[in-house]
């Protein structure tokens, strides 16, 4: 993830929040409507939800009949994989590590069989694993979380799953924390600032409303996730990489902070007709310039990277056809 030189445009972030809220209401309002696409996303406090909104918006610009599209807020990656697998969603946003674990049937993915009918469409923004601590907590690196009160995140979120992977690489269990909670992204800030927690976690693009809300309430620090255990994890699991959370996005956090990162990816299944997958990716890539302006996390997207970064499941044939046509493959 590139460091962005300028400070965040707060009005823009508020607009993004408003767009998310409007999208949420329209998702509820159109729940009865027959829709050809149902996209599983994440919390309205994250970037998956506006990502789904952007995909729907571009897809619906296409005049072809049957272009309806709904965005559904969810708990995150692992809930999305479950909904994609049982047919509630036609496409979902998932962290690249969970795409890999599910497609290849790794033990981390606690289902009986690999999700081998999964197919990739493209990847989106970088998702830094984010730890925000109260400034007076004494927590300055991942190691320091031990013995503290930490929000693990909701079961079903990718963030929670990735925290479990991180903890395993440090040889920790939940007992190594003084206390744990499973609060949703937007509930964490209040608990942090009321001294019920010392640190909160999120794996999402930046800037996002969840970290903004917490860092506006009280004095906070973004905590680096670095060290030998992380280096070993990077050696063993090539779908993780080191990334920076840019400086200046949140009050009290002027400098970039190094941490583990994944990519947000968009996946479907072999059930999706080739023509629909083709139309989705065509709509997104033909509106690429608009996409990069819809959220600051999309500003550094690059089409050549989006067609392969973090994609463990094979490309859907409809997506591949479009990428070949336009020379991206
Ligand atoms: N990466 C998070 C998860 O899978 C979701 C982040 C977001 O909604 O932007 O739980």
């Amino acid at each position: 993830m590139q460091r962005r030189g300028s400070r965040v445009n707060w009005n823009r972030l508020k607009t993004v929040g408003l767009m998310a809220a409007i999208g949420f209401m329209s998702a509820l309002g159109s729940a009865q409507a027959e829709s050809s696409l149902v996209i599983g996303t994440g919390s309205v406090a994250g970037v998956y939800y506006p990502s789904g909104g952007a995909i729907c918006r571009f897809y619906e610009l296409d005049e072809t009949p049957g272009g309806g599209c709904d965005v559904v807020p969810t708990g995150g990656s692992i809930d999305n994989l479950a909904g994609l697998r049982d047919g509630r969603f036609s496409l979902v946003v998932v962290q690249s590590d969970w795409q890999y674990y599910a497609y290849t049937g790794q033990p981390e993915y606690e289902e009986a069989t690999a999700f081998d009918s999964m197919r990739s469409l493209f990847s989106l923004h970088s998702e830094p694993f984010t730890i925000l601590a109260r400034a007076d907590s004494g927590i300055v690196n991942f190691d320091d979380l031990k013995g503290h009160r930490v929000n693990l995140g909701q079961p079903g979120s990718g963030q929670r799953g990735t925290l479990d992977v991180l903890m395993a690489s440090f040889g920790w269990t939940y007992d190594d924390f003084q206390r744990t909670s499973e609060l949703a992204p937007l509930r964490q800030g209040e608990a942090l600032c009321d001294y019920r927690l010392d640190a909160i976690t999120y794996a999402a693009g930046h800037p996002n409303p969840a970290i903004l809300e917490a860092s506006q309430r009280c004095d906070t620090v973004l905590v680096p996730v670095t060290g030998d255990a992380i280096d070993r994890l990077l050696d063993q699991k090539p779908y993780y990489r080191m990334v920076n959370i840019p400086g200046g996005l949140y009050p009290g956090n002027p400098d970039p902070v190094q941490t583990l990162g994944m990519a947000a990816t968009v996946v479907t299944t072999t059930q999706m007709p080739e023509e629909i997958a083709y139309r989705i990716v065509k709509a997104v890539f033909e509106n690429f310039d608009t996409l990069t302006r819809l959220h600051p996390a999309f500003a550094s997207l690059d089409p050549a990277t989006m067609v392969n970064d973090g994609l463990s499941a094979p490309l859907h044939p409809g997506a591949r056809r479009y990428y070949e046509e336009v020379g991206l493959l």
Side-chain angles (χ1 to χ4, degrees), residues 70-112:
D70 283 331
V71 179
V72 181
T74 71
S77 293
I78 295 167
D79 280 352
N80 289 347
L81 288 167
L84 183 65
R85 199 162 181 164
D86 69 19
R88 276 177 291 137
F89 303 136
S90 37
L91 71 155
V92 297
V93 192
V94 292
Q95 290 176 199
S96 49
D97 51 343
W98 287 96
Q99 181 186 148
Y100 174 84
Y101 295 140
Y103 177 72
T104 57
Q106 298 299 306
E108 287 85 350
Y109 179 62
E110 292 168 4
E111 296 293 331

Side-chain angles (χ1 to χ4, degrees), residues 29-30 61 112 118 121 136 139 181 192 264 311 319:
S30 57
L61 290 174
M118 190 197 300
L121 294 184
D136 60 8
I139 299 171
S181 58
L192 182 73
L311 305 182

Side-chain angles (χ1 to χ4, degrees), residues 270-291:
T270 50
Q271 294 284 306
M272 177 173 279
E274 180 172 334
E275 203 46 39
I276 300 288
Y278 178 89
R279 276 172 54 194
I280 296 167
V281 300
K282 183 167 189 276
V284 168
F285 283 81
E286 284 190 345
N287 289 284
F288 183 77
D289 290 343
T290 311
L291 175 69

Side-chain angles (χ1 to χ4, degrees), residues 221-238:
V221 285
L222 286 165
V223 176
V225 180
T226 54
D228 292 348
I230 300 298
D231 292 342
R232 280 196 301 279
L233 189 70
L234 290 170
D235 284 346
Q236 290 158 10
K237 300 184 190 278

Side-chain angles (χ1 to χ4, degrees), residues 95-311:
Q95 290 176 199
S96 49
D97 51 343
W98 287 96
Q99 181 186 148
Y100 174 84
Y101 295 140
Y103 177 72
T104 57
Q106 298 299 306
E108 287 85 350
Y109 179 62
E110 292 168 4
E111 296 293 331
T113 54
F115 189 176
D116 54 9
S117 62
M118 190 197 300
R119 291 294 177 269
S120 295
L121 294 184
F122 49 84
S123 65
L124 284 169
H125 53 283
S126 173
E127 297 196 272
F129 190 87
T130 304
I131 298 172
L132 188 76
R134 248 193 0 273
D136 60 8
S137 66
I139 299 171
V140 295
N141 203 329
F142 188 85
D143 269 330
D144 300 324
L145 290 179
K146 206 169 182 173
H148 280 96
R149 298 167 302 170
V150 178
N151 188 41
L152 308 172
Q154 291 171 292
S157 66
Q159 129 200 16
R160 171 68 174 272
T162 303
L163 179 61
D164 288 344
V165 172
L166 271 167
M167 287 177 55
S169 75
F170 278 76
W172 294 355
T173 68
Y174 294 150
D175 291 340
D176 286 304
F177 297 126
Q178 189 194 121
R179 191 197 304 157
T180 59
S181 58
E182 298 184 331
L183 298 175
L186 266 185
R187 304 276 318 282
Q188 316 184 79
E190 189 182 358
L192 182 73
C193 296
D194 286 353
Y195 284 80
R196 282 178 281 134
L197 289 172
D198 302 311
I200 62 175
T201 55
Y202 204 22
H206 290 281
N208 62 66
I211 298 298
L212 179 63
E213 196 269 342
S215 57
Q216 282 176 331
R217 269 179 186 269
C218 59
D219 290 341
T220 59
V221 285
L222 286 165
V223 176
V225 180
T226 54
D228 292 348
I230 300 298
D231 292 342
R232 280 196 301 279
L233 189 70
L234 290 170
D235 284 346
Q236 290 158 10
K237 300 184 190 278
Y239 37 83
Y240 291 123
R241 75 286 295 262
M242 290 313 284
V243 297
N244 276 333
I245 303 172
L249 294 180
Y250 303 106
N253 287 279
D255 300 318
V257 170
Q258 220 188 14
T259 183
L260 193 76
M262 297 71 69
T265 68
V266 178
V267 295
T268 182
T269 68
T270 50
Q271 294 284 306
M272 177 173 279
E274 180 172 334
E275 203 46 39
I276 300 288
Y278 178 89
R279 276 172 54 194
I280 296 167
V281 300
K282 183 167 189 276
V284 168
F285 283 81
E286 284 190 345
N287 289 284
F288 183 77
D289 290 343
T290 311
L291 175 69
T292 59
R293 290 193 298 268
L294 280 181
H295 192 289
F298 300 155
S300 54
L301 289 180
D302 167 32
T305 308
M306 288 168 69
V307 301
N308 58 48
D309 185 39
L311 305 182

